[in-house]
Amino acid sequence: MAERKRYICPVCGEWAATEDRFPICESCNNEDVIIVSKDEIREIQDRLKKMSCDEQKKYLIKEPHDELDKLGLMTSEYIRQKYVFNDPRFSKTKFNERERALRERVAYIDAHKKEEIAALREEVYGEPNPYRKVTCPTCGSTNTKKISGLSKAASVGLFGIFSQKVKHQFHCNNCGYEW
């Protein structure tokens, strides 16, 4: 079984792990990545832990979620400052492209997690799902709304037993169809 290797890409700053025998940067396909040993990572983390809060701020580029996240952020930034930013192969363009792609990936994952959680809450607790898209069977539009109980009660109050809203659940804001 291959041992996981941690590497830093001197071109785009990608900090990742792989089991590949010959690691290649997953972000920019650079074949000349720098392998960082477990011992060196441990030494860096020990050094970071001994630093004062003011010294640590140099390696905190964003707000950490917790202490473990803080150590991970500081470690990756320390390694980037040591191996990447002063390397003649370093590309600001590729670095920014990688960071942008990472932010987009995180936003995409966060959005889908929220949708999955809302679907589970709807299934288990019967809570309304704000992410569910109801499509109109007539025109196919997703510009729909649920007909409220108050609206149904008002319709019964106006039209009595002849009210049609009572048997419908949704209204299409595009074509006006109710079903």
Side-chain angles (χ1 to χ4, degrees):
M1 187 166 130
E3 186 178 326
R4 291 185 64 76
K5 299 175 185 118
R6 298 287 296 173
Y7 70 85
I8 187 81
C9 175
V11 176
C12 72
E14 175 78 358
W15 171 240
T18 184
E19 291 181 3
D20 293 345
R21 186 172 176 196
F22 302 104
I24 296 172
C25 178
E26 296 170 5
S27 183
C28 72
N29 293 322
N30 173 34
E31 292 185 0
D32 193 20
V33 297
I34 300 165
I35 306 297
V36 183
S37 71
K38 289 180 182 179
D39 291 336
E40 184 177 0
I41 294 168
R42 230 175 280 118
E43 287 172 16
I44 290 168
Q45 290 178 338
D46 289 342
R47 196 173 307 135
L48 289 166
K49 288 175 188 175
K50 292 175 184 172
M51 289 181 180
S52 69
C53 288
D54 286 339
E55 290 174 311
Q56 288 179 348
K57 286 179 185 175
K58 179 180 175 185
Y59 304 105
L60 278 173
I61 55 170
K62 67 178 186 176
E63 194 63 36
H65 299 292
D66 53 36
E67 282 301 309
L68 185 62
D69 187 39
K70 180 180 177 181
L71 187 60
L73 288 171
M74 289 190 307
T75 303
S76 59
E77 183 61 18
Y78 185 98
I79 289 170
R80 282 192 184 102
Q81 288 181 23
K82 180 176 180 179
Y83 290 112
V84 179
F85 298 143
N86 294 320
D87 192 298
R89 298 170 290 180
F90 175 60
S91 167
K92 292 177 186 176
T93 303
K94 289 189 178 181
F95 181 86
N96 290 337
E97 286 172 356
R98 182 191 55 76
E99 290 280 309
R100 198 173 302 116
L102 178 63
R103 283 192 302 272
E104 288 171 2
R105 218 170 31 238
V106 167
Y108 177 82
I109 290 168
D110 284 348
H112 282 79
K113 277 184 185 174
K114 289 176 185 173
E115 289 175 19
E116 289 174 20
I117 290 168
L120 282 171
R121 291 181 74 93
E122 180 183 37
E123 186 180 321
V124 174
Y125 302 115
E127 294 178 4
N129 182 349
Y131 299 102
R132 183 168 29 99
K133 302 285 187 216
V134 177
T135 55
C136 175
T138 303
C139 70
S141 172
T142 57
N143 184 11
T144 60
K145 68 177 182 182
K146 188 165 176 58
I147 299 172
S148 70
L150 184 62
S151 176
K152 289 180 183 183
S155 180
V156 169
L158 287 173
F159 302 108
I161 59 169
F162 302 106
S163 171
Q164 295 298 309
K165 260 191 186 166
V166 176
K167 46 187 177 170
H168 300 132
Q169 284 188 315
F170 296 98
H171 172 82
C172 178
N173 296 326
N174 194 36
C175 70
Y177 182 70
E178 292 181 342
W179 69 100

